[in-house]
Amino acid sequence: MEGVDLFPTIVEAAGLDEVDLCPEDSSDVAVCHEGMSLMPLITGEDVEWRDAAFSWYPDASGTIMG
């Protein structure tokens, strides 16, 4: 699970309309998401899931992300 998965999961769990995935250039899009809903895992559906999660964090200087 990654942080980006929380928004689509909450939207689906609340029964709201599905939010589209963000396009490559989402500067003109009001609402979109980049994650995957976790509801299939929560409800026990047999789905293929990714096996890695990635995150960004600043180095000690605060100028380089790694």
Side-chain angles (χ1 to χ4, degrees):
M1 182 192 116
E2 295 184 69
V4 295
D5 298 327
L6 294 176
F7 176 63
T9 301
I10 292 169
V11 167
E12 185 176 349
L16 301 173
D17 291 336
E18 184 176 338
V19 177
D20 293 330
L21 283 170
C22 293
E24 187 151 336
D25 178 5
S26 61
S27 59
D28 292 330
V29 178
V31 177
C32 62
H33 73 90
E34 294 182 350
M36 297 171 60
S37 173
L38 301 171
M39 287 306 294
L41 295 176
I42 294 168
T43 59
E45 293 177 40
D46 186 22
V47 294
E48 189 172 318
W49 200 254
R50 58 182 179 249
D51 57 0
F54 301 93
S55 62
W56 292 82
Y57 59 91
D59 69 350
S61 71
T63 58
I64 299 173
M65 299 295 283

